[in-house]
Amino acid sequence: MRPLVEPVASLAPEELIRTARHAVLAGIGEEGQRRLAAARIAVVGAGGLGSPVLLSLAAAGVGELVIIDDDTVERTNLQRQLAHRIDDIGTAKTASAARAVRDLSPLTVVHERNLRLTSDNARELFEGADLVIDGSDTFDTREAVAAAAEHLGIPLVWGAVQEWAAQVTVFWSNPPEGYAPVVLGDLFPSGSAGEPPTCAQVGVLGSLCVQVGGLLATEAIKLITGAGDPLLGRLVVIDALRTRHDVIPLAGARRT
């Protein structure tokens, strides 16, 4: 798939050193690193999935990150939300996550959006973004995110974690030639999902959040740089308790 973002002209000398292991990586290289520096990614949620996503993208040298969350850090978050620390308890997650991003990548521009994403403001929040990563934890928010990304025609890297299980995929209503559109409704037809129990009710494996956040960041990096084959039209289903990873095609999402 062709790269999603045009590269910046050059990287700062300190950034060339910091990201040197990408410069020798097949599929990214120095040009791909310049594409990452040009990218603007909106991340919905700075919690269990958003934390590893943000840390991974900052470390990768993404140029701009928009962090969208209306919550504050609680002690119970720290089992899985690795961007936050004990000293951050009571702090807005956007502020805490932004600090972690800047500590890793001082040249990354961080936009903090300390508010709840809704169907009314999602398009505005995604303005100028090359892609969106959804790490939210309610289906109402997921539907609002998906509808806005679908309307804007930008890729949506999507993941969900509960207990010992997880799902990861990519939705895109306006993909390049050769790929068929696939949207949230192809996985969950309207009204079919309901509202799953919260992690406070059933629990969630902290290390699985890190694993899935890494997968989400990897898909974003692939889309930005054009490396490999994205998960568009394919759903990864993870059963961590039995160490099973299955890849399921989404109906109607085959390449054209």
Side-chain angles (χ1 to χ4, degrees):
M1 181 176 286
R2 69 172 184 262
L4 188 63
V5 175
E6 291 300 312
V8 298
S10 62
L11 297 174
E14 62 268 30
E15 190 68 355
L16 285 170
I17 296 170
R18 197 183 69 82
T19 61
R21 297 302 179 267
H22 274 176
V24 295
L25 184 63
I28 296 185
E30 191 268 345
E31 181 179 292
Q33 194 60 47
R34 289 190 285 117
R35 294 185 192 278
L36 290 170
R40 179 184 174 107
I41 298 178
V43 180
V44 183
L49 293 180
S51 284
V53 164
L54 290 163
L55 293 174
S56 297
L57 294 179
V62 169
E64 288 189 65
L65 291 171
V66 183
I67 308 174
I68 305 164
D69 200 308
D70 69 336
D71 204 0
T72 57
V73 179
E74 299 178 4
R75 191 172 295 271
T76 56
N77 299 152
L78 302 182
Q79 160 258 1
R80 64 199 178 281
Q81 301 183 17
L82 300 187
H84 314 301
R85 303 290 182 264
I86 289 287
D87 288 346
D88 296 320
I89 292 172
T91 301
K93 287 184 180 178
T94 51
S96 176
R99 178 264 309 153
V101 166
R102 295 183 181 109
D103 284 349
L104 272 172
S105 180
L107 297 182
T108 296
V109 177
V110 186
H111 305 276
E112 300 174 38
R113 302 290 185 259
N114 183 21
L115 48 76
R116 178 169 290 278
L117 183 144
T118 69
S119 57
D120 294 326
N121 64 14
R123 293 182 194 177
E124 181 181 353
L125 289 169
F126 298 161
E127 184 177 357
D130 297 299
L131 63 83
V132 178
I133 301 179
D134 189 357
S136 61
D137 57 5
T138 70
F139 207 78
D140 284 347
T141 302
R142 291 179 181 278
E143 287 187 321
V145 170
E150 184 175 345
H151 175 83
L152 295 169
I154 58 178
L156 169 59
V157 183
W158 185 94
V161 179
Q162 189 173 83
E163 301 180 80
W164 294 82
Q167 299 176 343
V168 178
T169 191
V170 173
F171 300 120
W172 199 350
S173 63
N174 187 34
E177 183 178 356
Y179 289 82
V182 56
V183 296
L184 180 65
D186 294 317
L187 179 60
F188 293 109
S190 181
S192 68
E195 195 61 60
T198 67
C199 62
Q201 294 170 317
V202 298
V204 60
L205 182 66
S207 57
L208 181 59
C209 292
V210 177
Q211 178 183 355
V212 174
L215 284 174
L216 296 172
T218 297
E219 289 303 306
I221 290 168
K222 287 161 55 182
L223 287 163
I224 294 296
T225 62
D229 195 11
L231 276 175
L232 183 63
R234 296 178 293 145
L235 177 72
V236 172
V237 179
I238 301 173
D239 179 347
L241 198 58
R242 296 167 184 81
T243 318
R244 287 182 54 113
H245 291 196
D246 297 310
V247 180
I248 300 171
L250 294 178
R254 297 188 183 90
R255 291 188 194 181
T256 58

